[in-house]
Amino acid sequence: VLAHELAQAKRIQLRMLPAALPAYPGTDIGAAICAARSVGGDLYDVFNLGPERLGFAIADVSGKGMPAALYMALVSSLLRAEAGQGAAPETVVRRVNKHLCERDMDDMFVTLLYCELDLRTRCLQTVRAGHEHPLLWTGTQWVPPRAVGRAMPLGIVDNPRLEIQDVVLPPAATFVLYTDGVTDAIDENSRPFGRARLVDTLARNLHLGAQPLCDTVVNTVLAYHGIMPQFDYVTLLTLRLD
């Protein structure tokens, strides 16, 4: 009975993700998530914020199992509700944090990378709350992330330290968000997949569209696991601009 309920919970959780990704002229968006054995707390989302304005996010809840899945559902609902109010990205994230802290969810927390893109100006605003740094290419040239201060997850303290950046996306930009299930995947010798291998995998496949690119990374990570069990979700979100 428990196994059946967990399988059903996993199906419901995956159906909470976008059924279809939005399409805009000059824009290519892809996403992929590969669930582990049990339900977990990974999340990605893409939504319209108005004329030629796009919001998207990736998040990873602490822990595993049903508590993480329920917390993820709460984060997803709060993020959409707050983003729809039209506030600045930092305000959106701080309001989500306020809601989470008020609920005092037994030491649970979530890392989040929330982004808003103006498709007319190509200005991308990002707010990072303890999550992995995104990856950016201009054409085939990787743009290493700028050295910045540490950022804190949400749901722990009332006023977390956040990393806030604005960047104008270059021509032929590829912007990749991912969860630590990608880089922390281990092989039979307990060696992690790592960010360097992720960057190399992406660089060798930049000729692909956004969706095939995400699928290729997931398949590469799963192959790297080999006989080792998959303990965490593997999740990516990719945005490409002409």
Side-chain angles (χ1 to χ4, degrees):
V1 175
L2 179 59
H4 173 74
E5 290 183 351
L6 286 173
Q8 188 175 34
K10 184 188 293 186
R11 286 195 297 271
I12 293 172
Q13 181 188 23
L14 294 177
R15 287 173 185 167
M16 293 181 65
L17 301 173
L21 298 173
Y24 299 90
T27 303
D28 186 17
I29 303 174
I33 184 168
C34 183
R37 290 181 178 178
S38 65
V39 290
D42 276 18
L43 158 74
Y44 71 81
D45 204 353
V46 185
F47 39 85
N48 192 317
L49 294 173
E52 297 192 80
R53 191 163 183 84
L54 181 67
F56 54 101
I58 194 165
D60 187 0
V61 174
S62 61
K64 303 287 187 297
M66 287 300 295
L70 291 170
Y71 197 90
M72 182 276 280
L74 175 62
V75 172
S76 176
S77 299
L78 291 172
L79 182 61
R80 281 216 165 208
E82 291 297 346
Q85 299 299 313
E90 180 185 358
T91 301
V92 169
V93 173
R94 291 199 181 278
R95 286 176 178 172
V96 170
N97 179 71
K98 181 176 183 292
H99 291 304
L100 294 175
C101 287
E102 287 174 348
R103 284 160 174 78
D104 190 21
M105 304 287 282
D106 294 328
D107 297 324
M108 296 191 72
F109 60 87
V110 59
T111 68
L112 172 71
L113 180 59
Y114 175 62
C115 310
E116 291 189 12
L117 174 64
D118 187 322
L119 292 165
R120 293 165 296 190
T121 64
R122 303 174 70 99
C123 181
L124 177 69
Q125 299 173 285
T126 67
V127 181
R128 191 175 70 89
H131 201 80
E132 278 66 36
H133 286 276
L135 302 173
L136 175 63
W137 276 262
T138 173
T140 58
Q141 182 64 45
W142 180 45
V143 182
R146 288 182 290 173
V148 290
R150 297 180 61 188
M152 299 174 63
L154 306 182
I156 301 175
V157 298
D158 292 335
N159 187 30
R161 184 170 52 251
L162 303 175
E163 176 189 301
I164 301 154
Q165 293 192 32
D166 293 357
V167 61
V168 176
L169 291 180
T174 300
F175 190 66
V176 180
L177 296 72
Y178 62 96
T179 60
D180 62 7
V182 176
T183 49
D184 290 350
I186 58 173
D187 65 8
E188 58 269 21
N189 296 310
S190 298
R191 294 174 298 197
F193 190 78
R195 194 178 75 162
R197 190 174 277 106
L198 171 60
V199 170
D200 179 67
T201 302
L202 288 164
R204 286 186 286 104
N205 292 282
L206 286 174
H207 61 283
L208 300 174
Q211 188 59 55
L213 183 61
C214 288
D215 295 337
T216 296
V217 172
V218 169
N219 291 335
T220 302
V221 171
L222 295 181
Y224 185 81
H225 265 301
I227 61 173
M228 297 297 290
Q230 180 189 346
F231 291 110
D232 202 358
Y233 277 40
V234 175
T235 308
L236 291 102
L237 178 63
T238 295
L239 171 73
R240 307 194 77 171
L241 295 182
D242 292 346

